[in-house]
Amino acid sequence: MKLSDLGEFNLIDRFSVAFKKDLPANTLGIGDDCAVIISTSETALLVTVDALAEDVHFLRSAISPADLGHKSLAVNLSDIAAMGGTPENVFLSLCLPSDLDVEWLDQFFIGFGRLAKLHKVNLLGGDTTRSAGKIFISVTALGSAVPAKIKYRSQAKLNDLICVTDFLGDSAAGLRILLNKQALAKDVSYFVNRHHLPEPQLNEGQFLGNEACVHAMMDISDGVHSDIQRILQASKCGAKLFLEQFPLSPQLKTTASQLGWDPYEIATFGGEDYGLLFTVDPSQYSDLAVRYFNKFNRPIYQIGEITNQPDQLDYFMNENKITLEFEGFAHFGGKD
Ligand code: ADP
Ligand code: MG
């Protein structure tokens, strides 16, 4: 069997079972946005790793080195945000071709360093090796959280409302524009920046981490369709998603109608939005939404609800159940 027959998540399930057994009681291993190692009732260590491979995650000709430095760190900090934690230290591994310009690397570290400074994160170490041709970047981020406030993927409850903190699909639209080189009159830089410069939602994650009514949380890296299934599996429940409630940016609505794109396809399957996806007690939702808006001057968006049928994911458009005809991006081509 090839990896492409199995898919990324079946692959992880296949090898992780053996390594999730017999872990100490204070340790959560494979399966959430971060591993969690609880030290005391007041402190837990959060750890996450993410890799970016040239021609898989980025095109060297399309992204500036400074933006790539930013993005390499941002996607890791986003996983700390997803647990409600605070990032503290990072490690960086680089595999680089020997003909790479040193100035390219200087710019990479300017982008990386700017975001690290913004979030008061220290680069403590890493590794640098030669690659056969392509650039490969891996960042490990360490953070902290109060154990009782950590949000796991496994905590969704029946009838919870499913919410997101940001527009969906802008990053995927940016990728489409880069790949298709589509001639757009406006908003090109808006979409490309949304793809290249994601902002880890650390303050938002910490705010939601402090709320007992928020049950499950993760960040949106693979697209809502794939990511919500991680919550459903971990929490052993199902979900209804209401497409007409998906938050689309005004730019995405306009561009989609100009170019004949289906904006709901992009919002559902498009990855790398890096907003937060969470579930909340329905009786507390209105109060939470008001307090969130007062703090961040931006809304949270309700896009669905949790049901009791394990792993059942149903889509609705204006109360009609629909079957999605499109499919998203999957590493190795498997169905995730
Ligand atoms: P995220 O998108 O939040 O970074 P992923 O979906 O990539 O998370 O990974 C799902 C889970 O599987 C995470 O807990 C991650 O640490 C774990 N995982 C992924 N690849 C590996 C690997 N090669 N070895 C061990 N754990 C892995
Ligand atoms: Mg994640």
Side-chain angles (χ1 to χ4, degrees):
M1 183 167 46
K2 304 282 186 216
L3 280 184
S4 56
D5 299 321
L6 194 60
E8 178 187 354
F9 294 106
N10 291 327
L11 169 67
I12 294 170
D13 288 346
R14 187 181 166 102
F15 71 73
S16 64
V17 179
F19 294 95
K20 285 161 88 166
K21 276 198 304 214
D22 306 325
L23 288 175
N26 69 341
T27 304
L28 175 90
I30 297 169
D32 218 304
D33 294 280
C34 293
V36 181
I37 302 158
I38 296 176
S39 316
T40 68
S41 63
E42 290 306 307
T43 57
L45 173 66
L46 306 176
V47 188
T48 177
V49 187
D50 266 298
L52 283 86
E54 181 175 0
D55 293 338
V56 179
H57 297 94
F58 65 92
L59 300 169
R60 207 191 305 182
S61 59
I63 188 166
S64 74
D67 286 3
L68 186 60
H70 172 107
K71 188 166 179 176
S72 305
L73 180 56
V75 301
N76 274 265
L77 301 188
S78 178
D79 277 326
I80 303 264
M83 310 299 287
T86 305
E88 288 168 354
N89 299 304
V90 291
F91 291 77
L92 169 65
S93 285
L94 296 171
C95 300
L96 304 169
S98 43
D99 62 353
L100 190 69
D101 287 335
V102 174
E103 290 74 18
W104 187 98
L105 216 51
D106 291 343
Q107 289 298 317
F108 175 91
F109 277 104
I110 285 174
F112 190 97
R114 213 185 281 140
L115 189 66
K117 192 167 176 201
L118 183 68
H119 293 295
K120 301 187 173 63
V121 169
N122 312 302
L123 176 61
L124 293 189
D127 196 19
T128 307
T129 65
R130 188 167 62 86
S131 84
K134 297 200 170 157
I135 296 172
F136 183 83
I137 302 156
S138 175
V139 178
T140 302
L142 310 180
S144 64
V146 176
K149 293 185 173 176
I150 296 173
K151 301 301 181 192
Y152 298 95
R153 296 178 181 181
S154 56
Q155 300 299 310
K157 295 188 171 48
L158 178 62
N159 298 327
D160 272 3
L161 303 182
I162 300 168
C163 303
V164 294
T165 57
D166 202 356
F167 293 133
L168 299 170
D170 284 345
S171 174
L175 178 62
R176 256 189 204 213
I177 290 164
L178 290 171
L179 292 177
N180 299 347
K181 301 201 169 40
Q182 255 167 314
L184 260 191
K186 49 199 275 273
D187 296 328
V188 172
S189 59
Y190 170 80
F191 289 118
V192 171
N193 283 341
R194 294 277 284 166
H195 185 61
H196 284 166
L197 295 171
E199 291 298 335
Q201 300 203 333
L202 286 157
N203 293 331
E204 293 83 346
Q206 284 156 24
F207 174 92
L208 296 169
N210 274 319
E211 297 287 337
C213 65
V214 172
H215 294 153
M217 184 154 74
M218 66 183 296
D219 67 331
I220 304 173
S221 55
D222 294 335
V224 164
H225 176 76
S226 173
D227 291 331
I228 190 67
Q229 292 182 61
R230 308 281 82 81
I231 288 182
L232 302 187
Q233 279 164 359
S235 300
K236 300 187 173 53
C237 57
K240 292 179 181 174
L241 292 179
F242 309 119
L243 280 178
E244 77 282 358
Q245 289 173 214
F246 277 34
L248 306 178
S249 67
Q251 292 89 338
L252 182 58
K253 284 184 195 160
T254 308
T255 302
S257 77
Q258 263 173 17
L259 299 179
W261 292 349
D262 182 341
Y264 295 103
E265 173 184 352
I266 298 175
T268 308
F269 288 105
E272 303 196 288
D273 281 314
Y274 296 107
L276 298 171
L277 173 66
F278 64 95
T279 79
V280 56
D281 178 337
S283 69
Q284 308 293 312
Y285 171 76
S286 305
D287 180 60
L288 178 77
V290 169
R291 282 185 294 108
Y292 185 96
F293 188 87
N294 288 342
K295 180 150 176 71
F296 295 107
N297 207 23
R298 283 188 290 113
I300 52 175
Y301 306 91
Q302 189 221 323
I303 62 164
E305 59 195 40
I306 294 290
T307 67
N308 62 2
Q309 293 159 286
D311 289 330
Q312 177 79 28
L313 175 58
D314 292 317
Y315 283 90
F316 293 80
M317 178 65 108
N318 300 322
E319 295 178 14
N320 297 314
K321 189 167 165 179
I322 58 164
T323 310
L324 297 183
E325 286 166 1
F326 29 82
E327 283 186 20
F329 175 81
H331 278 287
F332 311 121
K335 292 215 176 123
D336 297 326

